[in-house]
Amino acid sequence: MASQQTDAEGITKVIATPVKAEAKIGRKTRDPSFTSTGSSDQTGWKFRTPQKVLFVEELTDLMTDHIPDFCKLGHSYFSGSLLMKESGEKAFKIDTAKHIQFKQMIMDVIVLFVNLLRAAFLPETLENIPLQNKEVYGKWPATKQDISGAWLPHCVRYVRGCVSSISVLDLLGEAREIIQELAIDMRTYCMFTLLKHAITDVQNLHTKEMWVVEVDDVFGGTTQLPALFENIVNETVQHLHEVVVQKKTGEPEIFSQRPVQKEATLLFGQLLEAFAPCLEHLVLPDQHSHTSCKDKSMPSTPDTEHADDSIPSLDKRLMITLSNCKHTSEQVIPYLVENLNRHGYVEMNKALQSAQENYQTLDAKFFEAYIEEKSNPIVGALEQNMYRGKFDWKTCKKPIGVRNYLKEVIMGMIEVHAEVFSISPAFVPRVMSMIVEAVAEEMSRLIQCATAFSTHGMLQARLELRALQDTVVVYMTQHAKRCLEEAQTSLPGFSGSEKKELEELLNIFKSQMKFQLMCFRSHTMPRLSVS
């Protein structure tokens, strides 16, 4: 038994000995090296396994290699099968009093093993240990407290493999519980860390926006960003499933603990919503935003002008991002939540609802900004152009057609229609109805603000109100219709001959503008006609 005690002390000593990284670099190097031929005595930089990873590998290898043999040795001693005479008699008398001492040696080794790993990865879990005892487990430098998300799953695999091999041994319940708690804590730590890394990666996706729109007949125009977001989430889910969620024999379900369940749900909710600020950063940046978000309408210097050549104007960025936001909310998020449900994550329907509300709020913000960006130039120039050349409703000449200012308004709306249609046709009714409302409100205001109308002025005003109304009838909202009706009601009455003249002038306008007005027609709506 004395030799057994010596073996246990040797194991403890080996485990407590710092890992010599240099001796294991050759065996444990994972990544290919990049060499430089610029110096004869320098082989170049190498991406080598981090010290903390080597520590885990070394420690778990020692436990896996020695603890099972040590347990078998003790079992053989206490069962009397260690040394037997040819006659079958025991070669020595078994000292059963040392059974407790043997179990304590195993417990001491396991406690040391567990606490060494906790000191490396979960130092906060050792807060209740006295300081003098904690010093035995070492303290990692602050710069090495964390390792990259690429290495952490590797460490968790090593720990879980070691714990799995030890758990099958004939250990005390307390010892088995200690190492199983380590495994679940490492799995939890890995999950939370990878999710936080994924959230950061998603939030930084705005740096990868190239503004190249790919148009799909089903989803409309989107850039690569929603697909990149989807890939990050799916890869994280798959990685977690392989490393953390799938349980080994004897391990508990990762979500069996309510605090873990709640934290995972919270982080996944944050991950699903992390794409929203990324989209917002692209079109509604703050003063410290990335230069890729600069509006082309802003003054540029020779140094920045070339870098911003490929960046669309703010209005186009808004429409592209609005389309990305819609696609994310309606297609990407539901698919991701379905995938999460398949992998056993709980309460994902709440995360789905919260994420969609978040993206809908963002959609409304983008849409409002886009309408303001596109309607302001059209509406802002309407009054000035209406009274161009000192036009007066009281002294104007006999109407000969719709004046140019209204044609310019229509051309402005056509430009908006074309821009929206080229990116996401599904947004055309939504955008155009709001542009029409803005124009109708301003037209109604200007007509009702006029102090008086001559007969010719009345006819000119009615002609232009009817031309606008019949042109945009497909996108006419109740509010826009009411505005134009109020403007017509404020005008003096007119005779049958004047009404006939109005219809003739209106038909001439539609004939002359036939090509331009095609975008205001829909196969689901009747063709424009004079009523």
Side-chain angles (χ1 to χ4, degrees), residues 30-296:
R30 295 292 185 272
D31 297 317
S33 61
F34 294 85
T35 59
S36 171
T37 57
S39 174
S40 59
D41 59 347
Q42 184 175 354
T43 59
W45 293 98
K46 291 186 178 182
F47 289 97
R48 294 175 175 176
T49 308
Q51 179 70 24
K52 189 178 288 188
V53 177
L54 293 173
F55 175 75
V56 173
E57 293 176 346
E58 183 85 6
L59 195 58
T60 53
D61 285 347
L62 286 170
M63 289 293 291
T64 304
D65 292 343
H66 296 290
I67 286 296
D69 290 341
F70 182 62
C71 289
K72 291 177 183 177
L73 181 63
H75 179 72
S76 297
Y77 171 80
F78 291 110
S79 66
S81 60
L82 183 62
L83 290 174
M84 299 286 290
K85 295 181 179 180
E86 293 181 1
S87 60
E89 297 179 2
K90 296 178 181 178
F92 55 88
K93 183 179 179 180
I94 301 172
D95 187 354
T96 55
K98 292 186 177 180
H99 192 260
I100 297 176
Q101 183 181 358
F102 171 72
K103 289 184 176 181
Q104 186 61 45
M105 287 192 297
I106 295 178
M107 175 64 76
D108 291 342
V109 172
I110 288 177
V111 169
L112 179 61
F113 165 72
V114 168
N115 287 346
L116 284 171
L117 288 176
R118 288 187 178 278
F121 292 93
L122 307 166
E124 66 281 359
T125 62
L126 300 178
E127 290 180 354
N128 295 328
I129 295 179
L131 181 60
Q132 61 272 22
N133 295 342
K134 192 185 302 184
E135 292 177 351
V136 175
Y137 311 125
K139 181 177 181 181
W140 288 82
T143 56
K144 294 185 179 180
Q145 282 293 332
D146 297 314
I147 57 176
S148 69
W151 283 109
L152 186 56
H154 173 78
C155 296
V156 173
R157 287 191 184 97
Y158 261 76
V159 172
R160 292 181 71 187
C162 178
V163 170
S164 179
S165 65
I166 296 176
S167 295
V168 299
L169 301 176
D170 184 18
L171 300 177
L172 292 173
E174 184 180 357
R176 184 176 289 105
E177 182 179 344
I178 288 174
I179 59 173
Q180 287 178 347
E181 283 182 0
L182 171 67
I184 193 69
D185 287 351
M186 287 293 292
R187 291 165 68 193
T188 303
Y189 171 67
C190 181
M191 172 183 286
F192 295 165
T193 301
L194 291 186
L195 284 175
K196 290 173 183 177
H197 288 176
I199 290 171
T200 301
D201 291 342
V202 170
Q203 291 174 338
N204 291 331
L205 277 178
H206 63 87
T207 61
K208 299 183 181 298
E209 181 60 276
M210 303 302 293
W211 301 109
V212 177
V213 179
E214 297 181 2
V215 180
D216 184 278
D217 292 338
V218 178
F219 305 127
T222 58
T223 65
Q224 64 173 348
L225 240 54
L228 292 177
F229 163 55
E230 183 178 331
N231 289 341
I232 290 175
V233 178
N234 281 335
E235 288 174 3
T236 302
V237 171
Q238 185 60 35
H239 208 173
L240 288 176
H241 181 72
E242 295 171 355
V243 179
V244 174
V245 178
Q246 279 186 325
K247 68 170 187 172
K248 296 179 180 290
T249 303
E251 285 186 334
E253 292 284 351
I254 188 68
F255 299 121
S256 60
Q257 301 181 34
R258 180 58 180 167
V260 175
Q261 186 183 108
K262 290 180 64 176
E263 184 69 15
T265 301
L266 176 64
L267 287 173
F268 266 111
Q270 293 175 1
L271 178 58
L272 294 178
E273 296 179 15
F275 192 50
C278 166
L279 293 175
E280 188 170 7
H281 185 96
L282 291 166
V283 290
L284 304 173
D286 55 34
Q287 296 179 353
H288 305 290
S289 294
H290 192 270
T291 55
S292 64
C293 298
K294 290 176 60 179
D295 187 358
K296 290 183 74 175

Side-chain angles (χ1 to χ4, degrees), residues 445-509:
R445 184 188 72 82
L446 292 174
I447 295 298
Q448 294 183 69
C449 284
T451 55
F453 291 86
S454 65
T455 301
H456 292 162
M458 174 274 299
L459 190 59
Q460 186 73 54
R462 286 188 180 276
L463 171 63
E464 289 164 358
L465 287 171
R466 282 289 305 280
L468 175 62
Q469 181 177 358
D470 289 359
T471 296
V472 299
V473 65
V474 173
Y475 305 112
M476 185 74 69
T477 65
Q478 289 299 319
H479 177 67
K481 183 179 180 180
R482 185 165 55 252
C483 289
L484 295 180
E485 287 175 349
E486 290 174 355
Q488 291 178 354
T489 303
S490 68
L491 294 171
F494 63 132
S495 63
S497 59
E498 290 171 336
K499 182 177 181 180
K500 182 179 180 181
E501 183 179 358
L502 171 66
E503 302 292 347
E504 291 174 353
L505 291 172
L506 193 59
N507 284 330
I508 292 173
F509 162 75

